[in-house]
Amino acid sequence: AGDFPANDYIWQDPIPAGKPLSDADVKAIKDKVHASGLSVQQMVETAWASASTFRASDKRGGANGARLRLAPQKDWAINKPSQLQSVLDTYADIASATGASIADVIVIGGAAGIEKASQASVAVTTGRGDASQEHTDTASFAHLEPRADGFRNYVETEFAVSPEEMMLDKAQLLDLTPAEMTVLVGGLRSLGISAS
C-alpha cells in the first residue's frame, strides 16, 4: 500500500484489460470480416484511422481502447464519419458474436483488408480492450485530431509548413522509420486510401 489510492483517472486514458485471442479466434474474425461485405478500403481506412492517432511522445492515442468509435474521434471529418459508423456497426456485431474487443476487431479487419488485397497472410497481436466514453477526456483527445495526414492525402487548410514536413512530423510521432513511412505511404495509396 502507499500514500495514494489505486484509482484510474480520466487523464490516464484508462482502458479495461483485453483478452488475447487464439489463432483460431483471429481466423474466425477475419472470416466474418471478409463475409461482411466491407471493401478493402473500408477495412484498411478504419484500421489506419484508429492506429494513426498514436503519439510515441506521450503514448496517447492509437488502436487500444477503440476510441475511434467514441467522441470526438468518431466525428472528425478526416475519419469520414458516415462511412466509419457503418464499418464500426459491422465490427461491433462481429465483436459481440465472437467475444473479441472492438479494438481487436478493428485491427484484425485492417489485416483482413490487406490480406484480401495482397493474397498474403498478415499476423496480428491481440489483447486490446475497449474504452468507454465516460473514461475518455474529449477535450484532451480533441488535440489528437489530425490537421494534416499525408498518409491519407489530407490537409484541412494551408499551413506555414509544407504538407511534406507535416507528414514527416506525423511519422516521427508514430515512431516510424523512414522505410516504414515509405511502405505505409505507398501501401495506403495503392489500396486507394485517400481523404480526397
Side-chain angles (χ1 to χ4, degrees), residues 72-88:
Q73 293 183 40
K74 68 181 181 70
D75 300 314
W76 292 344
I78 190 172
N79 291 338
K80 301 178 181 175
S82 59
Q83 172 185 294
L84 176 64
Q85 191 57 56
S86 173
V87 174
L88 291 175

Side-chain angles (χ1 to χ4, degrees), residues 112-133:
I114 293 168
E115 287 178 350
K116 187 174 183 179
S118 68
Q119 304 301 312
S121 179
V122 177
V124 296
T125 301
T126 60
R128 294 167 194 83
D130 290 334
S132 65
Q133 187 67 64

